[in-house]
Amino acid sequence: MAKTLAYLTSIIFTVFLFSTLVAAGESHRFSRSLSREMLGLKKEKLSHLHFYFHDIVSGRNPTAVRIAEAAMTNSSITGFGMVAMIDDPLTVRPELSSKQVGRAQGIYASASLSEIGLLMVLNFAFMEGKYNGSTLSVLGRNTVLSTVREMPVVGGSGLFRFARGYAQAKTHTFDLRSGDAVVEYNVYVFHY
Ligand SMILES: *[C@@H]1O[C@H](CO)[C@@H](O)[C@H](O)[C@H]1NC(C)=O
Ligand SMILES: *[C@@H]1O[C@H](CO)[C@@H](O)[C@H](O)[C@H]1NC(C)=O
């Protein structure tokens, strides 16, 4: 009986040791080199995306809402310290009723004391055709009164894995009374 138990224990121990060694050899490795082919990556492509961004701050269904501010924000000429969360529609044409190709989801914040300069931290979440479900991530500076603002595209997911590039924003219309804006975006990205 004791002999059988010792035998079983040694088998269990051997199996355990072996599986530990196998695991260490294969799945628990921290890093390794890969070729592009092993990830299924073919030729790098350059794409141009064009759409209109609708920043709706007024009315009953705003898509951009102020979520935080500093004590000094209201007395600052640049609204310094204001933080807004957005889920802004992206459409193919300037009209909000035109086809929606995605949403701009994220945060913009007033980050300049001397001019109207926003820190933009957002994802473009696309829903058009083959791009449905893919995203591009933008992290940049947006001086909204400049004619054209350029922001880096720092990455992406889905069809936009390994993306890098830049987005150019140009105000199409800005309603002084409501604060609503339509912004034209041209985005240039390398991806696979
Ligand atoms: C800033 O102004 C807005 C609108 O007038 C007001 O709702 C808000 O409470 C003010 N915030 C501060 C910190 O004074
Ligand atoms: C995008 O994908 C979602 C989830 O897979 C699906 O429900 C939706 O219908 C798709 N939209 C378009 C426009 O293809």
Side-chain angles (χ1 to χ4, degrees):
M1 181 67 191
K3 221 173 144 187
T4 313
L5 201 65
Y7 178 65
L8 279 176
T9 309
S10 82
I11 287 182
I12 290 167
F13 182 73
T14 309
V15 167
F16 176 75
L17 185 71
F18 184 69
S19 62
T20 307
L21 286 175
V22 167
E26 284 179 6
S27 60
H28 290 181
R29 199 159 31 165
F30 173 59
S31 76
R32 62 183 171 140
S33 295
L34 277 186
S35 67
R36 288 171 195 230
E37 291 69 35
M38 286 163 87
L39 260 194
L41 304 177
K42 297 188 181 95
K43 241 182 102 197
E44 196 172 38
K45 296 187 270 281
L46 176 60
S47 296
H48 172 210
L49 307 168
H50 178 248
F51 50 82
Y52 292 85
F53 168 111
H54 300 263
D55 197 51
I56 306 162
V57 298
S58 69
R60 261 193 236 158
N61 298 303
T63 60
V65 295
R66 187 186 275 224
I67 55 167
E69 64 200 358
M72 66 164 289
T73 299
N74 282 351
S75 54
S76 158
I77 47 163
T78 62
F80 185 72
M82 179 280 297
V83 181
M85 182 72 75
I86 64 168
D87 183 358
D88 284 349
L90 307 174
T91 60
V92 282
R93 287 163 44 80
E95 300 78 34
L96 183 56
S97 57
S98 65
K99 188 179 185 187
Q100 192 177 147
V101 293
R103 312 283 297 191
Q105 299 175 334
I107 288 171
Y108 60 70
S110 182
S112 171
L113 282 164
S114 57
E115 63 185 315
I116 300 182
L118 302 178
L119 163 69
M120 309 286 286
V121 185
L122 59 87
N123 294 308
F124 288 133
F126 297 104
M127 50 185 67
E128 165 62 12
K130 65 175 178 175
Y131 298 104
N132 190 11
S134 295
T135 66
L136 284 175
S137 299
V138 170
L139 174 60
R141 177 170 185 261
N142 186 0
T143 50
V144 296
L145 298 181
S146 307
T147 312
V148 179
R149 295 85 71 180
E150 185 170 308
M151 291 161 264
V153 171
V154 296
S157 71
L159 275 188
F160 292 122
R161 283 176 181 173
F162 293 108
R164 64 197 198 288
Y166 62 96
Q168 284 180 327
K170 195 173 172 206
T171 302
H172 182 265
T173 50
F174 177 63
D175 186 327
L176 272 174
R177 269 200 318 185
S178 67
D180 294 349
V182 179
V183 183
E184 181 181 11
Y185 268 82
N186 278 289
V187 181
Y188 301 87
V189 280
F190 280 117
H191 61 104
Y192 285 91

